[in-house]
Amino acid sequence: RKPPTTLSDAPMEHVAYSVLGLGDTNYDKFCESGQLIDKKLKEWGGTRAMPAACADEATGLEATVEPWVEEVLGKLEATCAAASGGGGEEKKDDTTVDATTLPEQLDQKLVVAEESASTSSVQQSSPAPAVTQEIAKESTTPLYVLYGSATGNAEHIAKDVAATYELYLKNPSFIGYFPSVVCCELNDYKKKCLSQWETEPPSNAKHGVIIVCSTTGNADAPENSDRFVRWLKRKSTDSTQPFKHCAYAVLALGDTNYDVFCATGKVIDKRLKELGGTRCCPVALADEATGLEETVDPWTGSVIQKLAAECNGSTRIQGSVAPPAVAAPVAVAAPPKTIVKETSSSSSSEEKKMEFDETVPAASQSSSVGVATIRNLLSLLPKDAIPAVDNKSLPSMVSSLSSCELVSDEELQGRERGNSVADNMTVSSGSSGFHYTLNKPYESTVLSARYLTKTNVECAKKASELVLDSSTSDEKIVEAKNLYNNHFPLAIGDEIECTKNGKRVIEMTLSLPDDFTLEYQPGDSVGLIVPNTPEATNFILSMLEKNHGVLPSQKISVDSNHPITVEEAIRTTIDLCSPMKKKRLFMLSQFAADPEEALALRLLSSNEKGNDLFLRYVEDQNRTVIDILKEFPSCQQLITLEGLLGCLPAIPPRYYSVCSSPLADRQAENGNYHLKVAFSVVDFLTPSVAEDLNSGKRIGGLATRYLECICSPFLNNPSGSFKVPAVQIFPKPTHEFRLPTNMSTPLILIGPGTGIAPFIGFLSHRQAQISSLESFEAAETASEGTWRGGYELDPEELHISKGDSTGLNLALDYVRKQKTGEIDLYFGCRYSDHDYLYEDELEAFKSTGILSNLYTAFSREHGKEKMYVQNIMQDKPECKQRLTEMILNKDASVYVCGDGNAMGKDVQEAIVNVLADKLESKQSALAYLDQMKTSGRFVLDIWS
């Protein structure tokens, strides 16, 4: 509407305002709604507190959103206060948007040539480390340790590095170059680091920056580092050279099962150099497939010293003492029974190393099960001593967490009053204003569940009675697990039956928010957050109360975060159920009151003498911290609450591929928007070893066994409606594992086992796409394009440009004319009569023409040779010919999903062998496969 004729009629006369517009520069009308609102509010008498800001979704909203969020409340407050004081801020007539708030890309479009030349010049002139005339004795800024982490590995390595240095700073005899440490996520770079990085330090010194970053999916940056990586990649960042005053070191984590190994870390390392940074050492590449420790331990042991030497301009640290691998050994005093306040970076046992008496009597003095087992595995005689290990062979990393503080009721009330609503809001670069993350998950309701395997549901019927009990508690969940253990024996009876008992696959349907703030596409994954088992949680709580007087209900603040109870901290913040790592065993050895237990734990954690022992005792038997504490009981006496929090990593989320389509499942069961995931219930026996009395244990997956229990009512009755405990979830989008935008592209889908899950989503989505086109054409024919709702629309209110309108019509015409490409699917499992997942659905897709060909391989069929998908691809003439035709003649895209330990590499080898026959050499076939990967025609989604 037009503005009022007189100001007295203006409804915004007594309002001060500020507008943030979100838009996309790929469209003609950039931020049009926000600009229109800003203009109209002004015309209707409002007082503009600050110019409208326009954030560009195409390049990342945060570049505009974050400064605006930080500034807007202060600007509004000042404007309102000035008005209430009588004078008021002069109302400017500027109805245009402040140019400084527009995305830099708009200006870049006008100076492409100049920008290109400038960028080229910048890259060619990246400064080499300057030869300094004066050496700084101490840095004026902290050591910056930043991380990008998806599963927690990079985060814990970074925190270990930071905590190690902080520990040495507390030693009065240690002279460190950096006075303190800042450790944070990479996405926090702007708030915590950037202003210092851009400031030139005195004496020609440099700021020290350490970055530890993993790579997710096919070359994707972890969620808590994506904004940082986008900022690095922008051309506009080149001109500012933000790292010209910084020296840096990068540790990249990756998995060689993927072709783009350590991609994110490599990109960060390269761009830091191009943006003026001084590289103090080559980027280190750690491989999760073979073990991160081989690369991580040497890197963490030397990186700070190398960085300090680069930062102060010397070839080595002058006036400094390099941190030793292990602090000087001193005795540890027993901690008090009650804890009032713990604020050090680690407990006293971590600051002061245990004195290990290497002259332990030859005859065993310990009665612990752990020591006895170690002695048995080493074939030691009673008179033999457990071998001592040199400190140099022990892990060098220490505490992961910086503080643990007990909080009184008064302090708790004060903190709660100080909380801001803004702290609970997360800006997203997606289509919605907010999204759910690992730190702020969505509480989802289980809507339905079913076994995809031919699994007997009698046990689910009994377990459902426990789960649906109004007094459902930890004890009920434990009881339900025991029911499943008894009903599905893994070692008693027929071998084939036991194998099938251990292979149970479930499809679970989860609710999503009905406001579409959690969206997904076929190919995405969803992360599930689960707590520790009740058994593990209760053991630790009982130990802490018995030995240290810490009650489960006491409130604590970990790393100055919002206070939670001790029970919640133990249940949800530390991983009690994963196999122990060497550095965690070494840290536990510092708490062992029994000298022989301490020696055994040190031996297990050593990199020289303990490798084989660690494999046999820990890895093969999946021993957790609970197992270690039970088998080395003297550790229980000394380890404190903070010691546990510092010793153990966080519980990693579990990721599952989505097996549904938002287009096909828009109308959810029970009226809810939803998604589906499929997962194997982890349930197996460890190897039985004569020397290890606790070997041959039954191991259950932390997440999957819990999910099986709470899904029991649905497993017994899939069509029923039940109220079971909620599940915390968050989306994990992928950028690579997507259906081609062109529906006519032929597809080859290879998904053995639960690797079939995302392809069920692909096929459902393709079917829904075809149905949507058919429905649209039918509706268009019936209505002849006329709106029959009876409403009249003002053309001026439809803010769609002629260009957009034309583009939409062209796109519609294009979609109508598309032919759907052929789809071949390869599936493999053990038994055709047990774990042939989605058999009915796949046959239905084939009968309707969605699926052109379905090829299956079964590896445990009675009386038949073992067959895997890679076997039939290269040995079956029909498959071999079809693969060649689809890939070479029809430019098909290939998708592979499943276990990456062997399958992923075997499938690639099979494809190379098939193509080699037509391309005349294996070398040519390998080159062709590499070309497919580069062009996005060969995509992997595999896990180890």
Side-chain angles (χ1 to χ4, degrees):
R1 296 179 181 176
K2 295 180 179 180
T5 54
T6 62
L7 190 61
S8 60
D9 296 331
M12 303 299 294
E13 178 183 4
H14 305 297
V15 175
Y17 69 91
S18 181
V19 175
L20 170 65
L22 310 186
D24 190 327
T25 47
N26 289 313
Y27 292 89
D28 294 334
K29 298 292 186 178
F30 176 61
C31 285
E32 183 176 17
S33 296
Q35 294 187 47
L36 178 66
I37 291 171
D38 179 77
K39 177 182 177 181
K40 292 297 182 181
L41 291 179
K42 179 71 174 177
E43 291 178 352
W44 281 73
T47 300
R48 183 185 289 120
M50 58 190 294
C54 296
D56 185 9
E57 192 165 2
T59 58
L61 300 174
E62 59 278 351
T64 301
V65 170
E66 290 181 356
W68 184 86
V69 169
E70 292 177 0
E71 190 178 7
V72 64
L73 293 180
K75 291 279 190 180
L76 268 176
E77 184 176 292
T79 303
C80 293
S84 63
E89 183 177 6
E90 182 181 351
K91 294 185 180 181
K92 302 176 182 178
D93 291 330
D94 55 327
T95 57
T96 59
V97 179
D98 187 346
T100 61
T101 64
L102 289 174
E104 296 166 329
Q105 283 67 21
L106 294 182
D107 292 333
Q108 289 173 0
K109 292 178 181 179
L110 303 178
V111 289
V112 173
E114 180 181 349
E115 178 67 46
S116 177
S118 173
T119 301
S120 175
S121 172
V122 168
Q123 293 179 348
Q124 293 174 5
S125 61
S126 295
V131 178
T132 59
Q133 300 298 321
E134 181 182 352
I135 294 176
K137 294 182 178 179
E138 184 180 65
S139 174
T140 58
T141 55
L143 169 65
Y144 294 95
V145 182
L146 296 92
Y147 57 87
S149 184
T151 61
N153 286 330
E155 177 180 356
H156 296 302
I157 292 169
K159 287 184 176 180
D160 281 336
V161 171
T164 300
Y165 191 75
E166 285 183 332
L167 188 60
Y168 291 124
L169 286 176
K170 293 181 180 180
N171 186 342
S173 62
F174 173 70
I175 306 173
Y177 177 70
F178 301 103
S180 59
V181 184
V182 170
C183 185
C184 63
E185 296 178 349
L186 280 166
N187 278 352
D188 287 335
Y189 74 98
K190 188 175 293 185
K191 295 179 181 177
K192 299 185 178 181
C193 311
L194 189 57
S195 60
Q196 287 284 359
W197 291 346
E198 294 176 336
T199 303
E200 182 176 2
S203 304
N204 296 314
K206 291 185 179 295
H207 307 295
V209 180
I210 290 175
I211 292 177
V212 184
C213 192
S214 62
T215 298
T216 66
N218 259 18
D220 298 336
E223 188 176 82
N224 59 4
S225 64
D226 54 358
R227 295 202 300 267
F228 176 79
V229 173
R230 286 200 300 270
W231 172 67
L232 287 184
K233 290 180 177 180
R234 288 179 190 152
K235 289 183 178 180
S236 57
T237 309
D238 285 313
S239 59
T240 64
Q241 292 286 284
F243 292 95
K244 62 185 176 183
H245 302 306
C246 298
Y248 70 90
V250 176
L251 171 63
L253 310 187
D255 189 328
T256 47
N257 284 313
Y258 288 88
D259 297 296
V260 281
F261 177 57
C262 289
T264 304
K266 290 177 180 177
V267 167
I268 291 174
D269 178 75
K270 178 183 177 183
R271 287 297 290 156
L272 292 184
K273 181 70 174 175
E274 293 173 348
L275 295 173
T278 301
R279 183 188 290 125
C280 82
C281 56
V283 58
L285 309 178
D287 184 8
E288 194 164 3
T290 58
L292 300 174
E293 295 82 4
E294 293 180 7
T295 301
V296 171
D297 286 347
W299 186 85
T300 55
S302 62
V303 66
I304 295 180
Q305 186 173 3
K306 292 178 180 178
L307 187 65
E310 197 65 62
C311 288
N312 73 357
S314 66
T315 56
R316 59 185 178 84
I317 306 177
Q318 298 191 7
S320 299
V321 180
V326 180
V330 295
V332 179
K337 280 287 181 179
T338 57
I339 301 174
V340 178
K341 189 173 184 180
E342 297 181 352
T343 57
S344 64
S345 66
S346 60
S347 67
S348 60
S349 313
E350 291 167 314
E351 293 182 21
K352 303 176 181 179
K353 299 294 180 180
M354 180 72 132
E355 181 175 358
F356 298 104
D357 185 359
E358 298 195 6
T359 60
V360 175
S364 176
Q365 301 296 313
S366 176
S367 60
S368 73
V369 174
V371 169
T373 303
I374 296 300
R375 296 181 64 85
N376 289 339
L377 291 172
L378 293 173
S379 301
L380 296 178
L381 298 174
K383 63 182 179 65
D384 296 332
I386 292 177
V389 295
D390 190 273
N391 284 341
K392 294 180 180 178
S393 69
L394 294 169
S396 59
M397 294 182 286
V398 292
S399 175
S400 297
L401 299 175
S402 58
S403 68
C404 168
E405 179 184 353
L406 289 174
V407 181
S408 66
D409 292 339
E410 292 78 10
E411 289 176 307
L412 180 63
Q413 293 174 3
R415 295 190 189 202
E416 288 177 345
R417 284 195 298 270
N419 285 341
S420 168
V421 175
D423 293 337
N424 296 320
M425 296 165 60
T426 304
V427 177
S428 165
S429 59
S431 57
S432 59
F434 304 95
H435 68 173
Y436 299 94
T437 66
L438 171 62
N439 295 324
K440 296 173 184 176
Y442 172 68
E443 289 235 336
S444 177
T445 301
V446 179
L447 300 177
S448 67
R450 60 169 176 149
Y451 279 119
L452 296 175
T453 45
K454 308 298 190 299
T455 301
N456 187 289
V457 298
E458 283 301 315
C459 183
K461 182 177 181 180
K462 296 177 182 177
S464 64
E465 297 174 3
L466 297 170
V467 175
L468 293 175
D469 191 317
S470 58
S471 61
T472 297
S473 61
D474 287 346
E475 289 73 20
K476 300 288 186 182
I477 297 295
V478 172
E479 194 175 342
K481 288 181 185 177
N482 290 333
L483 282 176
Y484 280 102
N485 287 344
N486 295 331
H487 189 82
F488 296 111
L490 302 182
I492 302 173
D494 181 71
E495 182 180 353
I496 293 178
E497 192 63 31
C498 288
T499 302
K500 292 181 178 180
N501 285 343
K503 185 63 176 178
R504 309 190 297 277
V505 180
I506 294 172
E507 180 191 75
M508 180 173 61
T509 305
L510 297 170
S511 70
L512 296 178
D514 55 11
D515 59 358
F516 300 101
T517 51
L518 196 163
E519 297 181 294
Y520 75 96
Q521 291 295 321
D524 287 347
S525 298
V526 62
L528 272 73
I529 302 172
V530 292
N532 287 307
T533 63
E535 303 97 313
T537 302
N538 292 335
F539 174 84
I540 296 296
L541 291 175
S542 175
M543 180 191 76
L544 290 174
E545 185 172 1
K546 175 184 176 182
N547 294 303
H548 305 295
V550 177
L551 300 176
S553 59
Q554 287 181 273
K555 295 276 186 161
I556 62 169
S557 173
V558 180
D559 278 354
S560 301
N561 288 326
H562 185 73
I564 56 177
T565 65
V566 171
E567 180 177 6
E568 186 178 354
I570 298 302
R571 184 186 299 273
T572 64
T573 64
I574 54 175
D575 188 358
L576 302 178
C577 301
S578 294
M580 288 289 281
K581 299 293 184 182
K582 283 188 175 183
K583 64 178 179 179
R584 312 295 175 190
L585 285 171
F586 172 58
M587 292 165 68
L588 274 183
S589 74
Q590 314 306 311
F591 296 98
D594 183 296
E596 199 168 16
E597 288 187 15
L599 278 173
L601 289 171
R602 281 168 61 89
L603 179 60
L604 280 170
S605 59
S606 69
N607 292 324
E608 295 176 1
K609 300 179 181 179
N611 285 338
D612 180 65
L613 187 63
F614 178 82
L615 177 67
R616 296 163 64 196
Y617 181 75
V618 178
E619 286 195 353
D620 288 351
Q621 299 301 325
N622 270 63
R623 276 186 164 91
T624 67
V625 67
I626 303 299
D627 298 319
I628 300 299
L629 288 172
K630 287 180 178 179
E631 296 180 13
F632 295 84
S634 73
C635 296
Q636 298 181 35
Q637 302 170 23
L638 297 182
I639 192 165
T640 62
L641 171 61
E642 188 178 27
L644 276 172
L645 295 174
C647 178
L648 299 174
I651 305 174
R654 272 57 176 177
Y655 293 103
Y656 303 106
S657 296
V658 175
C659 57
S660 55
S661 159
L663 189 58
D665 299 332
R666 185 65 69 182
Q667 294 300 323
E669 296 144 36
N670 302 326
N672 292 315
Y673 181 42
H674 70 275
L675 61 74
K676 296 178 182 179
V677 295
F679 57 88
S680 288
V681 178
V682 178
D683 194 8
F684 65 95
L685 294 175
T686 64
S688 293
V689 180
E691 297 85 358
D692 187 346
L693 296 178
N694 287 333
S695 64
K697 298 183 301 180
R698 186 166 187 165
I699 304 296
L702 175 63
T704 56
R705 289 298 304 274
Y706 172 76
L707 293 174
E708 183 178 38
C709 288
I710 67 171
C711 288
S712 295
F714 298 105
L715 297 176
N716 177 54
N717 181 11
S719 60
S721 178
F722 308 99
K723 185 177 181 180
V724 298
V727 178
Q728 292 187 317
I729 66 172
F730 62 94
K732 186 176 185 290
T734 176
H735 301 296
E736 304 288 337
F737 208 78
R738 286 268 193 264
L739 277 169
T741 54
N742 189 339
M743 290 173 58
S744 62
T745 302
L747 305 178
I748 298 172
L749 312 178
I750 305 167
T754 51
I756 190 67
F759 299 141
I760 296 298
F762 278 18
L763 296 171
S764 300
H765 200 72
R766 178 57 56 84
Q767 187 175 49
Q769 287 175 321
I770 295 173
S771 298
S772 296
L773 285 175
E774 293 172 350
S775 299
F776 181 85
E777 289 170 357
E780 186 182 41
T781 301
S783 66
E784 296 181 349
T786 304
W787 171 255
R788 301 187 178 213
Y791 297 99
E792 293 183 2
L793 300 178
D794 186 345
E796 293 183 358
E797 295 181 18
L798 295 175
H799 300 291
I800 300 178
S801 68
K802 292 182 179 180
D804 284 342
S805 177
T806 303
L808 289 172
N809 289 330
L810 288 173
L812 182 58
D813 291 339
Y814 171 74
V815 170
R816 286 172 178 162
K817 294 174 183 177
Q818 277 203 89
K819 295 181 179 179
T820 55
E822 297 174 284
I823 303 178
D824 289 358
L825 187 141
Y826 292 80
F827 172 76
C829 64
R830 293 183 176 182
Y831 304 99
S832 60
D833 63 348
H834 179 69
D835 54 338
Y836 187 169
L837 310 181
Y838 293 107
E839 179 179 6
D840 293 340
E841 287 84 352
L842 291 174
E843 291 296 341
F845 285 130
K846 192 171 185 297
S847 65
T848 57
I850 300 297
L851 200 56
S852 304
N853 293 287
L854 173 61
Y855 303 109
T856 56
F858 306 104
S859 61
R860 300 292 190 277
E861 292 287 76
H862 181 66
K864 296 183 179 181
E865 183 183 357
K866 288 184 177 181
M867 293 294 292
Y868 300 95
V869 288
Q870 57 266 29
N871 299 135
I872 63 173
M873 290 169 67
Q874 57 186 337
D875 297 338
K876 205 171 180 180
E878 177 191 353
C879 296
K880 192 173 181 179
Q881 180 180 354
R882 179 66 174 172
L883 277 171
T884 304
E885 178 189 2
M886 289 279 279
I887 294 175
L888 296 180
N889 300 336
K890 298 185 177 181
D891 293 331
S893 292
V894 180
Y895 294 80
V896 183
C897 182
D899 184 356
N901 283 330
M903 184 277 299
K905 294 179 180 178
D906 290 344
V907 164
Q908 293 185 68
E909 181 70 17
I911 291 176
V912 167
N913 292 336
V914 169
L915 297 181
D917 291 344
K918 287 291 183 182
L919 298 176
E920 299 182 351
S921 72
K922 191 168 184 177
Q923 186 176 2
S924 298
L926 283 168
Y928 189 88
L929 183 62
D930 288 340
Q931 184 182 359
M932 289 180 66
K933 292 173 181 177
T934 303
S935 61
R937 286 180 55 210
F938 191 96
V939 190
L940 296 165
D941 182 11
I942 54 181
W943 55 86
S944 300

